[in-house]
Amino acid sequence: MEKMYLNGQWTTGHAQETIPVINPATEELLAETPRGTAADVEAAVRAARAAFPGWARTPGAERANLLHEVANKIRAHEEHLIHLLTTEEGKPYVENEEELLWTHNTFDYYAEIGRHDRGRVIPPGAEGQFNFVIKEPYGVVGCIVPWNFPLLLLAWKIAPALAAGNTVVIKPSEFTPLTTLKLIEVAFDHLPPGVVNVVTGYGDTGEVLVRHPDVRMIAFTGSVATGQRIASIAAPMMKKLHLELGGKDPMVIAPDIEMDVAVRGLAYSALLNAGQVCTSTERVYVHESMFSQFSEELADFVSKLKLGNGLEPDTDIGPMLRPHFRAKVDDHVQDAVRAGARILTGGKVPAGFEKGFFYEPAVLINVDHSMKIMQEETFGPTIPLMPYKTFDEAIALANDTQFGLGASLMTHDAKLVKRYFEEVKAGTIWINDPLTDNYAGPFGGMKMTGGGRELGQEGFDQFTEVKHVHWDVEGGVKSYWYPYGKE
Ligand code: NAD
């Protein structure tokens, strides 16, 4: 059995049961992790609480150096982590190289923000006053992470949380805990005990963390349903919440864009990580003048992509994580077909794989907004295409969703670009380069996606609460104090 990391010690804690971790490409058992209990969460929170005052007082420059050391240690163990990530999560090796790059760079990025940012001095309201705003850490932050980018999404939480002076208790996904445990083992052993803790387990273990009164903030990435549950538990406790939830991102393809740019850009943004990306393009609106040729070229391109084990260098698309996620994707495809959609390619479990949870990427036409595939998060390799006539119509379709995470546009027409970023309700707008992030650019959603932001200065500020200090330096009696009505 793997071990959890509590108060600087590797332990199986009070766990009586284990959780199997399976390679989605081969279905082989990779390891078993402890099913953390309430007592384990208690021990982790106690350790994080005890470590907090010391960590919060540590000078910013020293914390920055410690976080740069984390980044360097991750780099030193990169190859092992990329391999483990590929076997545990399933996406191709080259995509996991990217994930690792993002992971260590995020620690470097927030090390520097934490080094210099403590707040600001503001102009006084009257002469003789001195006013300033201090950014303070919350205390113990519970970080609950999903499985699709287990290291990157972890780094986006714990790097700013630690840089701001918080201590953390991590609950990784039950499907992908091994990379988190390895990351902590190789890159965090120089931090004081209790600053970082990991409790493994299912959602019920995460829920104990959410309910714990000493956890002042929950940073969560995952599904809307889990986010809603967490919010309902945390609201009466006035806990600070940072929620990054699901999406149903649109892409609009304008008629001026080159066909190959649109085909390859769309295939990448819809099928990266087998479509298991919160910002996957899940709905596509193509100008009617190019619709027919575009659908054919896209279907042809997608049908030639190679499915396989992510460890094989020529694999384009890996497996889905588990059969039940694949079943949901197939349900969306079949629901669309029953309502009149036509599959141009894929849309089924491929032949020729004895093991692994593969799904042939699907390109569909004749879809509309009454279908699940155009309304609910599919989270798999599907590309439903709909024609539009006017740009007004395209914008209305893009906005016809309960979600607001990302939205893409493919065009060289600056007038369309301006309208798109002004009128589409989404946290990130991508023009001609979908899914590309920027360390300094905030990432997060609007509407049912939740309002959190990761990355950028905003991603740091989420982990601080502000205190305004109003100081009358002279300290004399004020004319507006009691008693009233006298000189
Ligand atoms: P999930 O909600 O099932 O699980 C996420 C995490 O929450 C896991 O660690 C899980 O064990 C834990 N959890 C489950 N129930 C809990 C509870 N009651 N209390 C506390 N913790 C609980 O999501 P998932 O299937 O792991 O991830 C896929 C989802 O994540 C998709 O909806 C996707 O869009 C979303 N996602 C969003 C972003 C973003 O930045 N907006 C990024 C990646 C993934």
Side-chain angles (χ1 to χ4, degrees), residues 144-149 153 156 171-175 201-208 210 220-227 229-230 233 243-247 276-279 325 377 379 405 443-445 449 454:
I144 303 177
V145 185
W147 49 265
N148 60 338
F149 290 91
L153 293 170
W156 288 7
K171 211 299 280 172
S173 167
E174 54 272 38
F175 301 115
Y202 292 112
D204 55 352
T205 303
E207 194 162 314
V208 179
V210 176
F220 169 79
T221 300
S223 62
V224 171
T226 309
R229 180 159 179 87
I230 288 174
I233 296 166
L243 300 176
E244 294 280 355
L245 311 178
Q276 301 169 119
V277 184
C278 53
T279 47
F325 294 123
E377 186 179 48
F379 221 60
L405 187 50
F443 176 95
T449 302
E454 296 184 309

Side-chain angles (χ1 to χ4, degrees), residues 385-408:
L385 304 173
M386 234 178 118
Y388 70 88
K389 278 188 176 53
T390 64
F391 202 64
D392 281 347
E393 190 193 347
I395 286 181
L397 287 164
N399 278 329
D400 180 23
T401 175
Q402 57 177 323
F403 299 105
L405 187 50
S408 298

